[in-house]
Amino acid sequence: MTYIGALDQGTTSTRFVVVDDSGRFVATSQMEHEQIFPQPGWVEHDPLEIWRNTETVITNALAKAGIAAKDLTAVGITNQRETTMVWDAATGEPIANAIVWQDTRTDRLVADIGGLIGPDRFRTETGLPLATYFAGPKARWLLDTVQGARARGEAGELLFGTMDSWVIWKLTGEHVTDVTNASRTLLMNLSTLDWDDELLDAIGVPAAMLPEIRPSIGSFGTTTGVLEGVEILGVLGDQQAAMFGQAAFNRGDAKNTYGTGCFMLVNTGTAQVASEHGLLTTVAYQWGGNPASYALEGSIAIAGAGVQWLRDNLGIIDSAPEVEALASRAPDNGGVYFVPAFSGLFAPYWRSDARGVIAGLSRHSDASHLARATLEAVAYQSRDVLQAMEADAGVTLASLKVDGGMVANELLMQFQADILDVPVVRPVVTETTVLGAAYAAGLASGVWSGFEELASQWAEDRRFEPAMAPELRRQLYADWQKAVERTFGWVD
């Protein structure tokens, strides 16, 4: 039996999975880490806590599988993408907590960088709007805020990276990243697949701090410590990894991942499709020296995080899975709409001035309506993105592959099919993010021969067919759009 290790460093937890050559999960270990909210709009993680958890989940998963690190053919890594940190090149000590992708503290900074041109200043080079979401301005904020950081960064004494770079550095001592993560920084040119001096200068990040960019499928170094002697052969940002795990290798293939946020991607092949409807152009993957494949992406900040808010802030559920039962107590949303713009709205609106709104409340409204509105918000936001995606890519989806933790919620999946008027297809393996990381490492090491063999392992679990009357679908979505408008302009 051949084994691949896959590390998934996510927004709320870190896990390690041992996968065999049939794509089966042999063992897994997962640990949550603290979500730190120093003030409204700020979201941080403790990198040292994440590293401790990384070592623990690797050790635990190997023990559960009954194997040693030397029994792994290779390791793949996937990660929350735009979360940003800066650390000491000599000691590995972070200069501050990691700034999470949801964090909005760089709002004024990105406006200043955009100047008279505005959010589209670097869209041609990067495929991205200037927004608080991305990593480059977060690094600039740290350099400008932490005493002495800029001078040390320019001298190469500090290193910048997203969470893949941090974990790889801790495991191997190499300062590297892959093209998918680099494409989320606003610092990499999509055409050259390299750091761009003009972007670095405009955003204010010294080149001396940057990791080397490598293809997603290839060598990232040999590990020490808990994974002693194993080579890291695949690295993908989490949403690209989920696309990989869904075997969405062909132009026009699409998937939607429901996690902390919600992310829909469609493969555009080797073509960089420029969005005219608020989507992102991003690298899907690159295998060795082959041309990169690209994707259009619609990013939604709050999906599962909305359910966590019901649990942690309001206390109307004790655990996330309880939300389905609570929502099912209501036959419909009772006219209640929840727009979870906690950190502004991402695609297709890109409104950092938006904040969350609950609309349509009456004396009839209760906890079940709010729970249902929270789930429905995920589906409505996905429709916002799908409409933009179909307009940009010039394709009409026959079905939508879905994955991530929330796809176990069958009320949500049926409503998603209803509001999209498109069949929603759930695979047998729904944790496709970590599976995609394993697939990437397995391709590089020769465990799998190519995309066709990986695609043959994909299997359908359930298909949710749309069953909503067209007039009801139109009315519900029109009311959702009214609620979204109420969120605009809340923050000056």
Side-chain angles (χ1 to χ4, degrees):
M1 183 67 68
T2 301
Y3 299 109
I4 299 287
L7 179 71
D8 179 2
Q9 200 300 290
T11 306
T12 59
S13 68
T14 304
R15 63 179 164 169
F16 190 78
V17 177
V18 177
V19 180
D20 68 18
D21 50 16
S22 68
R24 183 179 66 91
F25 285 22
V26 176
T28 184
S29 178
Q30 184 168 352
M31 293 180 69
E32 290 191 1
H33 52 263
E34 183 184 3
Q35 306 298 305
I36 303 167
F37 306 104
Q39 57 182 277
W42 291 32
V43 190
E44 298 179 355
H45 291 157
D46 178 353
L48 296 178
E49 179 192 9
I50 287 175
W51 172 244
R52 290 192 299 270
N53 290 356
T54 298
E55 292 185 299
T56 300
V57 296
I58 291 171
T59 300
N60 290 349
L62 292 175
K64 287 181 181 180
I67 63 174
K70 63 181 177 59
D71 297 314
L72 297 174
T73 301
V75 168
I77 292 175
T78 184
N79 60 286
Q80 50 170 328
R81 297 172 296 179
E82 298 81 7
T83 296
T84 301
M85 58 176 298
V86 174
W87 66 95
D88 188 295
T91 67
E93 188 70 22
I95 67 168
N97 281 337
I99 302 178
V100 179
W101 56 273
Q102 300 156 313
D103 189 286
T104 60
R105 75 185 67 183
T106 58
D107 188 25
R108 293 186 183 278
L109 175 60
V110 297
D112 290 343
I113 294 171
L116 295 177
I117 299 174
D120 289 334
R121 180 179 175 187
F122 306 124
R123 189 181 283 273
T124 300
E125 296 87 352
T126 67
L128 311 173
L130 264 167
T132 60
Y133 183 19
F134 304 109
K138 297 179 193 296
R140 160 78 177 272
W141 188 93
L142 287 169
L143 294 175
D144 289 348
T145 305
V146 177
Q147 186 174 5
R150 176 158 297 280
R152 296 188 68 208
E154 291 173 349
E157 296 174 6
L158 299 179
L159 302 179
F160 152 77
T162 44
M163 298 310 291
D164 59 308
S165 293
W166 166 245
V167 171
I168 294 169
W169 190 84
K170 294 291 284 184
L171 285 169
T172 69
E174 296 200 34
H175 190 212
V176 295
T177 189
D178 92 298
V179 288
T180 66
N181 281 292
S183 74
R184 314 296 294 198
T185 62
L186 282 167
L187 304 174
M188 188 193 85
N189 188 299
L190 272 185
S191 298
T192 65
L193 303 181
D194 203 355
W195 305 120
D196 187 295
D197 289 339
E198 292 186 9
L199 294 172
L200 296 179
D201 183 61
I203 294 175
V205 178
M209 301 177 65
L210 300 177
E212 177 189 343
I213 302 173
R214 296 183 182 177
S216 314
I217 305 169
S219 178
F220 291 85
T222 302
T223 59
T224 58
V226 290
L227 284 173
E228 181 73 40
V230 184
E231 196 169 7
I232 299 172
L233 291 180
V235 176
L236 291 160
D238 52 8
Q239 301 313 316
Q240 289 90 336
M243 194 174 188
F244 222 75
Q246 285 275 32
F249 303 128
N250 299 313
R251 182 180 174 88
D253 288 348
K255 68 89 196 177
N256 202 22
T257 298
Y258 303 77
T260 303
C262 189
F263 302 86
M264 188 182 298
L265 276 75
V266 61
N267 189 325
T268 63
T270 57
Q272 298 176 41
V273 177
S275 175
E276 298 180 358
H277 298 87
L279 302 182
L280 312 177
T281 306
T282 195
V283 180
Y285 58 85
Q286 184 185 22
W287 188 350
N290 297 308
S293 288
Y294 295 86
L296 278 172
E297 176 178 329
S299 308
I300 297 166
I302 302 295
V307 177
Q308 291 174 330
W309 180 74
L310 297 181
R311 180 193 68 190
D312 300 338
N313 295 60
L314 300 190
I316 65 174
I317 54 175
D318 293 323
S319 66
E322 292 177 17
V323 72
E324 183 172 11
L326 178 58
S328 296
R329 284 174 22 195
D332 54 43
N333 66 12
V336 176
Y337 290 82
F338 173 33
V339 186
F342 297 148
S343 301
L345 289 171
F346 286 5
Y349 304 102
W350 297 107
R351 295 292 297 258
S352 61
D353 63 335
R355 284 300 179 269
V357 162
I358 300 172
L361 291 173
S362 69
R363 286 292 297 271
H364 170 66
S365 307
D366 61 20
S368 66
H369 294 113
L370 181 55
R372 193 175 187 102
T374 301
L375 296 179
E376 290 185 356
V378 179
Y380 288 128
Q381 291 178 101
S382 295
R383 175 166 170 175
D384 290 340
V385 168
L386 179 60
Q387 290 183 166
M389 195 163 281
E390 289 184 334
D392 277 334
V395 297
T396 300
L397 295 187
S399 63
L400 180 65
K401 290 181 176 180
V402 296
D403 55 79
M406 294 187 81
V407 301
N409 189 313
E410 300 201 342
L411 175 66
L412 171 58
M413 291 299 99
Q414 184 58 55
F415 188 78
Q416 184 71 91
D418 288 341
I419 207 67
L420 292 182
D421 195 22
V422 168
V424 168
V425 182
R426 184 174 66 193
V428 170
V429 178
T430 59
E431 298 300 333
T432 57
T433 301
V434 72
L435 181 62
Y439 278 173
L443 282 178
S445 60
V447 172
W448 295 292
S449 59
F451 293 150
E452 289 185 6
E453 184 177 2
L454 292 181
S456 71
Q457 294 187 0
W458 187 93
E460 180 178 318
D461 171 52
R462 181 173 173 187
R463 182 175 294 252
F464 297 85
E465 296 286 349
M468 183 178 285
E471 182 54 39
L472 178 58
R473 180 184 300 115
R474 283 193 292 271
Q475 185 60 54
L476 289 173
Y477 188 60
D479 287 345
W480 161 258
Q481 291 175 306
K482 284 198 300 183
V484 169
E485 291 175 2
R486 303 299 195 272
T487 72
F488 296 160
W490 196 263
V491 178
D492 293 332

